[in-house]
Amino acid sequence: MKPYIHLEEALEKQKVNGGGLRFLGTDNGCVAGCCSGITVYSGTEYGFGGVHDDQEGFFVLSGEGYAKLDDLEFEVYPGTSFVALPGVKHTVKSKSPDEPVKVFWFHSAI
């Protein structure tokens, strides 16, 4: 087990597994659901969204759009950070299909 990953390795795993770009997880020694990664939201409509038993934190790296936590909707742009508490449905959408919202996310262990 190695407690780190380089971007190139994460990109190679993404080609195999699809979805968001996962960085740290059980392969790196994270326990109890702790993991991190990046997701790029290019859609201008909300998708189904996620709901988890743990909390998930987000930090917007680039792009402008909106986030929705259950019924709470708010604007996001680079530097915005927010958390989806356990059981809270959450999703992100872009303001423009030409400028996706890139978000770093992490699940903290409970």
Side-chain angles (χ1 to χ4, degrees):
M1 179 219 36
K2 63 179 187 175
Y4 65 90
I5 190 168
H6 295 287
L7 178 59
E8 297 80 15
E9 295 171 85
L11 289 169
E12 196 57 41
K13 281 185 180 181
Q14 182 187 34
K15 288 178 189 173
V16 173
N17 299 325
L21 183 58
R22 183 176 288 245
F23 293 136
L24 300 176
T26 55
D27 291 350
N28 311 100
C30 293
V31 297
C34 177
C35 59
S36 68
I38 288 178
T39 299
V40 177
Y41 296 91
S42 56
T44 56
E45 300 291 327
Y46 288 119
F48 172 75
V51 178
H52 311 288
D53 293 334
D54 64 342
Q55 57 192 351
E56 184 175 9
F58 299 86
F59 183 78
V60 178
L61 299 169
S62 64
E64 295 182 5
Y66 298 92
K68 194 170 186 182
L69 303 174
D70 280 340
D71 293 329
L72 173 65
E73 183 179 37
F74 53 96
E75 189 173 10
V76 296
Y77 46 85
T80 303
S81 186
F82 59 98
V83 63
L85 296 175
V88 172
K89 186 175 180 179
H90 51 281
T91 185
V92 175
K93 70 178 183 177
S94 177
K95 279 187 177 179
S96 165
D98 298 327
E99 185 183 16
V101 178
K102 184 186 293 185
V103 176
F104 171 77
W105 53 264
F106 62 92
H107 286 265
S108 10
I110 293 181

